[in-house]
Amino acid sequence: MPGFPAPDKRLLEFGDRVWEFRLVQQYANHEHVFLAVNGQHENVVIKTRNKRSVTAAEEVESVYQEFNLLTHTLDHPHIIRCVSMLHSQSHVHMVLQYGGDFCMEQVLSIQPGRQLSRDDAVDCTIQIASALSHCHANDVTHGQVSLRHVSVEMARNRLVCRLIDS
């Protein structure tokens, strides 16, 4: 598949490490998605697929499409990007941009009345609407937009929201 890296026999995977990345924690409700730290102590997210579990051609195509879309097609400040791909003999690891420690569902659960302030709500809605508009302009549909598919990061006293895929 064009752009998909060939398997690297030298790629180290053991315990809590994948190549230069240390796996810090598994994300709740996401069995194969991990918060990781690279060699420069920067947070990233690693989405891992065991190649033995990908048995149908449609699943292979789905992994390839996700990689291609998040690497090449969907370049937008409010969509999580794939920054690299690690391909071993047994796994495919997508290294994704870090988008914050929480999803919108978690943020709302600790807010008074389980809602954002009016200004934050408008700002977050505009950010995600812009991300979805960018997807649609590129003939891409998300298919599962929900509070769990919006990562939230606090940056300069502002909520920064990014659309993610599970």
Side-chain angles (χ1 to χ4, degrees):
M1 296 183 169
F4 208 80
D8 182 351
K9 293 179 182 178
R10 300 172 295 137
L11 182 65
L12 299 175
E13 303 168 289
F14 54 91
D16 67 344
R17 295 192 87 64
V18 175
W19 195 240
E20 70 161 328
F21 300 98
R22 183 174 52 85
L23 305 179
V24 176
Q25 73 180 37
Q26 181 179 354
Y27 279 97
N29 301 323
H30 299 286
E31 184 178 346
H32 304 289
V33 182
F34 301 89
L35 172 63
V37 177
N38 67 15
Q40 293 78 39
H41 307 287
E42 299 167 324
N43 288 340
V44 296
V45 173
I46 296 184
K47 186 173 183 180
T48 299
R49 295 292 298 261
N50 184 326
K51 290 171 25 176
R52 289 184 193 169
S53 70
V54 180
T55 56
E58 296 83 24
E59 291 175 287
V60 173
E61 179 64 24
S62 175
V63 170
Y64 176 70
Q65 276 188 340
E66 182 177 13
F67 166 73
N68 195 40
L69 287 172
L70 296 180
T71 303
H72 304 294
T73 306
L74 298 177
D75 187 7
H76 189 277
H78 298 290
I79 298 174
I80 292 293
R81 305 247 324 136
C82 179
V83 294
S84 68
M85 169 72 74
L86 304 172
H87 188 180
S88 73
Q89 296 295 329
S90 60
H91 292 86
V92 173
H93 307 278
M94 271 194 274
V95 181
L96 304 169
Q97 172 187 23
Y98 175 73
D101 288 331
F102 303 102
C103 70
M104 184 58 77
E105 181 179 57
Q106 293 166 313
V107 170
L108 291 174
S109 73
I110 61 171
Q111 297 298 312
R114 294 186 174 257
Q115 60 188 8
L116 297 175
S117 69
R118 184 183 187 309
D119 290 344
D120 284 343
V122 168
D123 197 25
C124 289
T125 300
I126 289 170
Q127 291 174 45
I128 296 306
S130 175
L132 289 170
S133 176
H134 181 74
C135 288
H136 296 170
N138 284 281
D139 296 322
V140 174
T141 57
H142 188 282
Q144 288 187 326
V145 178
S146 70
L147 297 175
R148 288 186 179 178
H149 291 106
V150 175
S151 69
V152 181
E153 179 178 31
M154 180 61 81
R156 293 184 291 265
N157 293 324
R158 178 179 178 239
L159 294 179
V160 177
C161 299
R162 292 183 186 93
L163 191 59
I164 61 173
D165 189 12
S166 66

